[in-house]
Amino acid sequence: MVSMEADLEMDMTAIYHKTPKGQEEMASRAYRLPARARSVLILVDGKSTARDIIAKAKHFGDAEQFFEALVRGGFIEPVAGTQPAAAPQAPVAPAATSAAAPSTVHRSLAETKDFACTYLVKALGPYADTMTGSIEACRDRNELLAVLEKYRDMLRDGVGKRKAEEFWNGAMARLP
């Protein structure tokens, strides 16, 4: 059950992003979050509202509880001065859209890692935890590219060619 205090602290229409503490957890697992809480943390992208993130994570169990724990623990916070997205985001946008408009995608290792981790969590749920840890541990482009290729092949074998291509195209559109 959600307490009134938690409701007052959290705006479901606010857009949330990872704090430095949340980014540290992603990079090094310094705070040893439980797998499902970490999976919710991975979904926090600085573009989605609390409501959107909780909806994406509903298959983790009590996603709202995990989300609130991340807020209380200082791993995530609302983005100051932002308005919620005009329309709810699709659960998984086709990669053709992402790949077709690379000029609108910020190219960096961090953005590539965030996309890849979020995609894997959406596709595989908590089973992606080990994979996301490997992605977050990559230090340079070549290391990340090798890990992404490995997981693309695993996705192809596990969930199909279309998902593997979406993953690969989306990651490549963001890779610097």
Side-chain angles (χ1 to χ4, degrees), residues 28-122:
S28 67
R29 298 175 186 254
Y31 302 95
R32 301 185 192 278
L33 284 176
R36 290 185 179 187
R38 191 169 194 285
S39 293
V40 174
L41 179 62
I42 290 167
L43 294 174
V44 177
D45 59 7
K47 301 172 193 163
S48 301
T49 65
R51 182 175 293 116
D52 294 337
I53 294 163
I54 291 167
K56 290 175 190 174
K58 66 183 174 194
H59 62 280
F60 297 154
D62 192 354
E64 189 167 350
Q65 177 186 353
F66 293 125
F67 190 89
E68 288 174 357
L70 292 172
V71 172
R72 283 191 308 274
F75 293 96
I76 61 174
E77 66 187 3
V79 175
T82 60
Q83 296 297 320
Q89 296 177 336
V92 176
T97 303
S98 298
S103 61
T104 63
V105 176
H106 181 70
R107 292 177 175 260
S108 73
L109 282 181
E111 287 291 321
T112 306
K113 289 178 181 182
D114 189 50
F115 168 82
C117 290
T118 301
Y119 191 95
L120 290 170
V121 168
K122 288 178 188 176

Side-chain angles (χ1 to χ4, degrees), residues 29 113 116-117 119-120 123-124 127-138 143-161 163-168 171:
R29 298 175 186 254
K113 289 178 181 182
C117 290
Y119 191 95
L120 290 170
L124 304 173
Y127 300 108
D129 193 45
T130 302
M131 298 166 85
T132 60
S134 296
I135 290 169
E136 292 295 337
C138 293
E143 188 178 352
L144 180 59
L145 188 57
V147 170
L148 294 175
E149 286 178 13
K150 175 182 167 184
Y151 293 150
R152 176 198 59 198
D153 296 342
M154 289 174 72
L155 279 172
R156 184 182 314 122
D157 295 340
V159 295
K161 183 178 177 182
K163 291 274 188 196
E165 288 177 1
E166 286 178 357
F167 171 77
W168 184 253

